[in-house]
Amino acid sequence: MSKMVLELTIEEKKMLKGKQGKATRKAMEIVVALGEIYGAKRLIPVSSVQIAGVSYDNLGEAGLEYLNEMAEDGQTRVLTTLNPAGMDMVEWKKHGISEDFAENQQRVVDAFEKMGVVTTCTCTPYLMGNLPHYGEHIAWAESSAVCFANSVIGAYTNREGGPSALAAALTGVTAEYGFHLDENRVAQVKYDVLADLMSTDEFGLLGQIIGNRTGKQIPYITGIGNATTDELKSFCASVATYGGIAIFHMEKVTPNRTPIPEKTEIVTEEDLNKARAELDDKEANIDFISVGCPHASIKEIAKIVDMLKGKKVTEGKTVWITTAKPTKDLAIKMGYYDQIEKAGAYLVADACCAVAPLKGRFTGLMTDSAKACYYARGKNKFKTEIRTVEECIKEAVS
Ligand code: F3S
């Protein structure tokens, strides 16, 4: 695309010339470069940003150096929150995180804080006050949250990378291309779901099936009468992981209007069983149970507390319920935290089983999340089993 296509406002040109400081200039260079690559005609303001690539495990020293450089004079211009870090920023020690890692992870969060980022580390920013409304343009990076924002909320965002999300935060703008344009949000293939989905694990399996089948085509899903927010966040995480899907339409559930595609695929109960079998390793020796991927809502935590009542986690098993820090604080206030910890499980804030440095610590993961299975196998080389939350807790205490 020609460089001439992208028109900048006077203010944007000033940022590009470095009039607002070095970090803003670098950030604007990223935004402009993306705009030129994708043929955007202009930059548009964003009302919120969510940054991924926060765990020191993924970022490393080079990533941290870049952040520190940007933090020298960079300041966010819009509400900006973070994706999960590699540990609970307060209780990391009791979760078996090393001093070294904790120190480095703290340096990462400090760099973000210096730039004015709200350092809530969660993949469900929409549950924590970073909640756009229908039609609002935003720049988010976490794939499950991007999918939720575009599809369930009807906001407009591309799937940003770590640096491009930070660039949007420091400039307050993003290039208008991709999912910021209505013509790129139209459904391309219809999926008739002929199975009854009852729980988060089944919504995750549906995401796995559609993600694997659809390529990059935008799905229009029918046959789901209704779905809870928790089920939708599970579906979003999975369809984004297995298919790189950033937007879908679900009849009677999501708000976007789109013509219904003719090309139709069927999803049956048998497909769900096959998908489950694919994530179940026969020889899995379950020593780690993790729920809360995406981060658990207070409603999910309350349910888990009920399941744990009067029970004790079996020796040799570790249980993580991962959530956002504000939700953990609420759980503390409600007495849920004490009940969870008394049962021998951990309520882990700010982190999750995919981005924490867990390689080598466990061999088999049981979870209700298809996305967690994907990363557990790929990144940590764990065997996996996917079950309902109830079954996960049962496994933990049996
Ligand atoms: Fe969130 Fe971690 Fe799952 S970032 S979606 S809890 S893999």
Side-chain angles (χ1 to χ4, degrees):
M1 279 295 152
S2 151
K3 243 183 162 179
M4 299 305 289
V5 176
L6 181 64
E7 279 193 24
L8 301 182
T9 64
I10 292 168
E11 185 57 24
E12 288 159 2
K13 281 180 188 158
K14 276 189 192 164
M15 288 187 197
L16 198 55
K17 280 190 180 144
K19 300 263 191 275
Q20 314 278 6
K22 202 173 62 162
T24 310
R25 174 176 59 73
K26 279 194 178 169
M28 188 50 100
E29 281 170 1
I30 294 173
V31 174
V32 167
L34 283 170
E36 285 172 348
I37 290 166
Y38 290 102
K41 291 198 175 88
R42 58 179 188 145
L43 307 184
I44 48 170
V46 291
S47 56
S48 102
V49 171
Q50 194 254 1
I51 296 175
V54 178
S55 171
Y56 183 77
D57 207 26
N58 302 333
L59 212 52
E61 208 46 40
L64 179 54
E65 214 172 281
Y66 176 76
L67 285 180
N68 278 330
E69 214 184 305
M70 295 302 268
E72 277 172 21
D73 69 343
Q75 274 299 306
T76 56
R77 285 164 196 265
V78 293
L79 171 66
T80 304
T81 56
L82 294 178
N83 219 31
M87 63 182 199
D88 186 310
M89 297 305 297
V90 180
E91 293 196 295
W92 52 270
K93 206 171 234 168
K94 78 177 195 190
H95 304 142
I97 303 293
S98 73
E99 298 264 355
D100 260 9
F101 183 87
E103 201 177 297
N104 287 325
Q105 184 62 73
Q106 189 61 56
R107 286 164 64 214
V108 171
V109 171
D110 289 348
F112 281 120
E113 201 166 286
K114 197 172 167 209
M115 288 186 268
V117 174
V118 177
T119 51
T120 286
C121 303
T122 182
C123 49
T124 58
Y126 43 89
L127 297 179
M128 292 302 114
N130 189 353
L131 175 64
H133 61 66
Y134 179 87
E136 207 166 349
H137 291 270
I138 58 175
W140 285 12
E142 157 58 28
S143 65
S144 67
V146 163
C147 191
F148 192 96
N150 276 327
S151 317
V152 180
I153 299 170
Y156 288 60
T157 180
N158 285 318
R159 183 176 168 178
E160 302 290 347
S164 70
L166 179 60
L170 299 183
T171 58
V173 293
T174 193
E176 189 184 42
Y177 69 94
F179 296 112
H180 290 286
L181 299 168
D182 282 325
E183 65 258 34
N184 298 326
R185 300 168 65 91
V186 175
Q188 292 156 303
V189 54
K190 181 152 93 76
Y191 286 87
D192 286 339
V193 179
L194 306 180
D196 281 337
L197 305 185
M198 309 297 289
S199 46
T200 49
D201 62 319
E202 293 190 335
F203 274 82
L205 293 172
L206 180 66
Q208 180 194 349
I209 295 164
I210 294 180
N212 277 333
R213 266 196 220 171
T214 206
K216 293 277 180 226
Q217 291 198 309
I218 299 176
Y220 182 94
I221 302 154
T222 71
I224 310 282
N226 54 52
T228 65
T229 300
D230 296 326
E231 288 164 346
L232 288 170
K233 73 177 164 65
S234 177
F235 176 75
C236 288
S238 181
V239 80
T241 297
Y242 289 90
I245 290 295
I247 182 169
F248 64 88
H249 304 275
M250 196 178 271
E251 202 168 75
K252 296 185 185 150
V253 177
T254 60
N256 291 305
R257 286 177 207 98
T258 174
I260 301 173
E262 271 177 29
K263 185 180 164 195
T264 303
E265 295 256 351
I266 305 288
V267 180
T268 63
E269 198 77 50
E270 205 190 320
D271 293 324
L272 282 182
N273 292 338
K274 265 195 222 154
R276 187 184 293 282
E278 273 169 33
L279 294 185
D280 275 354
D281 287 309
K282 296 275 164 304
E283 68 282 27
N285 170 29
I286 302 299
D287 52 2
F288 184 39
I289 292 110
S290 184
V291 293
C293 169
H295 272 172
S297 65
I298 194 71
K299 188 172 160 189
E300 289 178 300
I301 292 171
K303 273 199 214 155
I304 293 167
V305 166
D306 265 350
M307 295 171 203
L308 280 172
K309 242 173 217 154
K311 312 256 170 54
K312 196 91 193 142
V313 171
T314 317
E315 227 187 291
K317 285 179 184 163
T318 299
V319 181
W320 277 22
I321 299 149
T322 51
T323 192
K325 180 69 165 63
T327 311
K328 181 172 177 177
D329 289 342
L330 194 54
I332 291 170
K333 186 168 185 277
M334 295 302 296
Y336 301 157
Y337 172 87
D338 282 345
Q339 293 179 69
I340 288 168
E341 302 265 323
K342 202 173 134 209
Y346 294 118
L347 186 59
V348 179
D350 312 310
C352 78
C353 65
V355 297
L358 297 178
K359 200 169 181 184
R361 275 184 59 186
F362 305 108
T363 60
L365 168 75
M366 184 180 281
T367 176
D368 68 318
S369 165
K371 177 175 178 175
C373 289
Y374 180 91
Y375 284 101
R377 286 174 160 192
K379 188 179 165 223
N380 289 329
K381 310 291 173 223
F382 298 160
K383 305 276 184 209
T384 62
E385 282 182 10
I386 184 164
R387 295 286 182 275
T388 63
V389 175
E390 286 82 354
E391 287 165 333
C392 287
I393 299 300
K394 224 177 189 177
E395 172 71 26
V397 299
S398 61

